[in-house]
Amino acid sequence: MSDEQNNFQTEGSPRWMGLAVVGLAILSLVGVGMAWNATNHANEAQQAFAAQSKTIQQTTQSQDGITQRIAQAEQTNAQMQGELNLVTDKLKLTQNQLAAARTQVKQTRADYTKKLDDVQSTLATKASSDDVKALGTDVNGVKTDLDTTKGNLQQLRGEHGELIARNHEELEALKRLGERDYYEFTLTSKGQKQRVGTMQVEFRGASAKKHQFSVALYVDDMRVEKKNKSINEPIYFYASGSKQPLEMVVNSVGDKKIAGYLSVPKTGATSAKATAATN
């Protein structure tokens, strides 16, 4: 009886250990699964925390940038305010200076008017026959000079009796006579047009060696071309309603440049007929 019990215990021990091993294996698997799950949750939590930290950091940087921009804006505003105050002060100063200048001008004008009245009164009271004679002498001197200038220019008259200037100095002398109006012109390239008085002159060509030039004249919507005209040779145009002609003279000729003047009678009409008195 005792031997059977011993045999039973010996044969039953391996079954119990097998069950225990199976149970431990199951528990181990469960533990590994739980540990893996916990690890995944921990990684996810760590990633979420890192993302949240990055977001917070970016938000903080943005706030810092906004704070810096606000500070810069406040500084710029302060500078602009200072400049505005400075300009305002200068403007007030300028207005005050302008008012003072206007007052000074009014005072100076009043003083000048008073002095002028005094001088005129003095001249009126001190004028004598000797002063009048002296003035007459001056007038006669000017008249003599004009007569001399006119005499020097007598040999430069055109076929219609008008005086002709060969250079700028002689043209100035003609202007001083005051008999006609003069308009100077200079053309420096072929095809160039220039308004001269009431007409237009177009440069068509020139020869410095031959002292000749060609031009086209535009008068009253009409075009007249003058070819191979000589230096100082007048070209005449009659003004509407007047017997006195307009006169154009070229007194400087180069291969690419001509210069001259248009002479207009003071009593002449403002428009010219496109009929030349000479070819």
Side-chain angles (χ1 to χ4, degrees):
M1 186 69 178
S2 177
D3 293 334
E4 292 178 357
Q5 290 179 353
N6 290 333
N7 291 331
F8 175 78
Q9 291 177 355
T10 302
E11 294 176 358
S13 293
R15 294 181 180 178
W16 177 81
M17 291 181 63
L19 293 175
V21 170
V22 172
L24 290 174
I26 293 173
L27 291 175
S28 297
L29 292 175
V30 173
V32 170
M34 293 178 65
W36 180 79
N37 190 22
T39 301
N40 287 338
H41 283 294
N43 291 333
E44 293 176 356
Q46 186 177 2
Q47 293 177 356
F49 177 76
Q52 186 175 5
S53 298
K54 185 176 181 180
T55 303
I56 293 173
Q57 185 178 2
Q58 291 177 351
T59 303
T60 302
Q61 292 177 353
S62 299
Q63 290 177 351
D64 293 339
I66 293 173
T67 303
Q68 291 178 358
R69 290 180 182 177
I70 292 174
Q72 291 177 356
E74 291 178 350
Q75 184 178 2
T76 302
N77 187 26
Q79 292 177 354
M80 292 179 64
Q81 185 65 36
E83 293 176 357
L84 178 61
N85 293 334
L86 180 60
V87 171
T88 302
D89 294 338
K90 288 184 177 180
L91 180 60
K92 291 180 180 178
L93 180 61
T94 302
Q95 290 177 346
N96 293 334
Q97 291 176 344
L98 180 61
R102 287 177 177 173
T103 302
Q104 185 176 2
V105 169
K106 290 181 180 179
Q107 184 63 36
T108 303
R109 186 178 297 172
D111 294 341
Y112 174 78
T113 303
K114 184 176 182 302
K115 290 181 180 180
L116 182 61
D117 293 339
D118 294 341
V119 171
Q120 289 177 346
S121 299
T122 302
L123 290 177
T125 56
K126 292 184 178 181
S128 62
S129 58
D130 293 336
D131 297 331
V132 174
K133 290 180 181 179
L135 181 61
T137 302
D138 293 338
V139 172
N140 290 331
V142 173
K143 184 177 180 181
T144 300
D145 293 339
L146 290 177
D147 291 338
T148 301
T149 302
K150 189 174 181 179
N152 293 334
L153 295 172
Q154 288 293 333
Q155 59 181 350
L156 301 175
R157 290 184 178 274
E159 63 182 61
H160 290 269
E162 291 79 13
L163 294 172
I164 300 173
R166 294 169 297 181
N167 51 51
H168 181 73
E169 289 74 16
E170 292 181 354
L171 182 61
E172 290 298 322
L174 290 180
K175 290 180 180 180
R176 287 193 292 270
L177 293 177
E179 296 178 355
R180 297 168 71 92
D181 292 326
Y182 297 90
Y183 303 91
E184 297 183 75
F185 64 88
T186 301
L187 301 173
T188 58
S189 61
K190 185 176 181 180
Q192 179 185 0
K193 292 182 182 179
Q194 181 176 339
R195 176 164 292 278
V196 183
T198 58
M199 57 184 288
Q200 275 191 325
V201 181
E202 180 184 357
F203 185 24
R204 300 300 302 163
S207 172
K209 183 177 180 180
K210 296 181 180 180
H211 303 289
Q212 292 182 340
F213 65 94
S214 298
V215 294
L217 307 178
Y218 296 83
V219 184
D220 294 337
D221 297 329
M222 299 184 66
R223 182 180 186 275
V224 177
E225 189 165 351
K226 297 295 180 179
K227 297 182 178 180
N228 300 325
K229 307 299 289 185
S230 299
I231 189 172
N232 295 325
E233 178 184 355
I235 301 174
Y236 295 101
F237 296 90
Y238 286 98
S240 299
S242 175
K243 296 181 179 180
Q244 298 183 9
L246 281 72
E247 175 190 69
M248 194 194 79
V249 178
V250 172
N251 45 43
S252 177
V253 176
D255 291 333
K256 296 182 179 180
K257 177 182 178 181
I258 61 172
Y261 66 89
L262 174 69
S263 172
V264 180
K266 289 183 178 293
T267 58
T270 58
S271 61
K273 293 181 179 179
T275 304
T278 61
N279 292 329

